[in-house]
Amino acid sequence: MEKFLKYLKTESVGGHLIRISLACLLLFGGFTKLKLIGALDYNLFWAILLAGIETFAAFGLLIHYKRPILGLAGGVLALLSIFIRIVFSIGWVRDNVLQTDSFIVALNSIFGIYNNGLFHITLLFGAGIYCLGNSYKAYIKERITRPWPH
């Protein structure tokens, strides 16, 4: 039984590492990547907006321990920012690397060339979904165990 409990503790520590790692990645991405992927001619307003989304997502993921509802918002914002970065990356490859008008050609190129990047994107989405689900579970647990109003 003690061996089984050690595995549960390992899973808990792994979950904390996933949450904190994703929050740190989003936080440093939000603060330091105002100019996305070196595209100097990119619209600064959208870059600042994405940096804000990533920063709020990171704080939401970290505040999950005190307020699970903010963890839910952080998880949704994290998934949104990862999706926006993927779309931007495909557009950037289309415009600056391939110099074509086709979004599909750029997507096929990314699938063919950047397999390691796709693996990391999949890991980011998985971490975002894990954090979102974990916050939802904590929110439901908080709602169930809350005393009835008088």
Side-chain angles (χ1 to χ4, degrees):
M1 184 66 173
E2 289 180 26
K3 193 174 196 178
F4 178 72
L5 292 175
K6 285 182 185 179
Y7 289 126
L8 288 178
K9 180 133 178 115
T10 303
E11 180 185 7
S12 174
V13 169
H16 294 304
L17 285 175
I18 288 171
R19 179 173 295 279
I20 292 169
S21 297
L22 181 59
C24 288
L25 180 74
L26 289 170
L27 187 64
F28 291 119
F31 281 134
T32 62
K33 295 180 182 174
L34 291 177
K35 290 292 190 174
L36 304 175
I37 311 177
L40 298 177
D41 57 342
Y42 194 68
N43 188 334
L44 186 62
F45 171 77
W46 294 111
I48 291 173
L49 181 66
L50 181 57
I53 290 171
E54 289 178 341
T55 302
F56 285 126
F59 286 132
L61 290 173
L62 291 175
I63 201 83
H64 152 82
Y65 300 106
K66 295 288 182 182
R67 302 221 175 193
I69 191 77
L70 294 178
L72 275 168
V76 169
L77 289 175
L79 290 173
L80 177 68
S81 68
I82 293 166
F83 179 74
I84 291 171
R85 284 226 178 247
I86 291 170
V87 170
F88 175 80
S89 297
I90 292 170
W92 188 82
V93 166
R94 180 193 68 191
D95 295 339
N96 297 319
V97 176
L98 299 176
Q99 297 175 351
T100 182
D101 292 336
S102 175
F103 198 74
I104 300 298
V105 170
L107 184 63
N108 285 336
S109 176
I110 285 178
F111 282 149
I113 296 171
Y114 302 114
N115 285 330
N116 194 21
L118 290 175
F119 177 71
H120 289 264
I121 290 168
T122 305
L123 284 176
L124 286 174
F125 268 120
I129 291 169
Y130 169 80
C131 291
L132 182 65
N134 194 305
S135 293
Y136 185 68
K137 182 176 77 172
Y139 173 71
I140 295 298
K141 181 180 175 185
E142 179 185 277
R143 294 277 306 208
I144 290 173
T145 59
R146 187 182 306 165
W148 290 96
H150 290 65

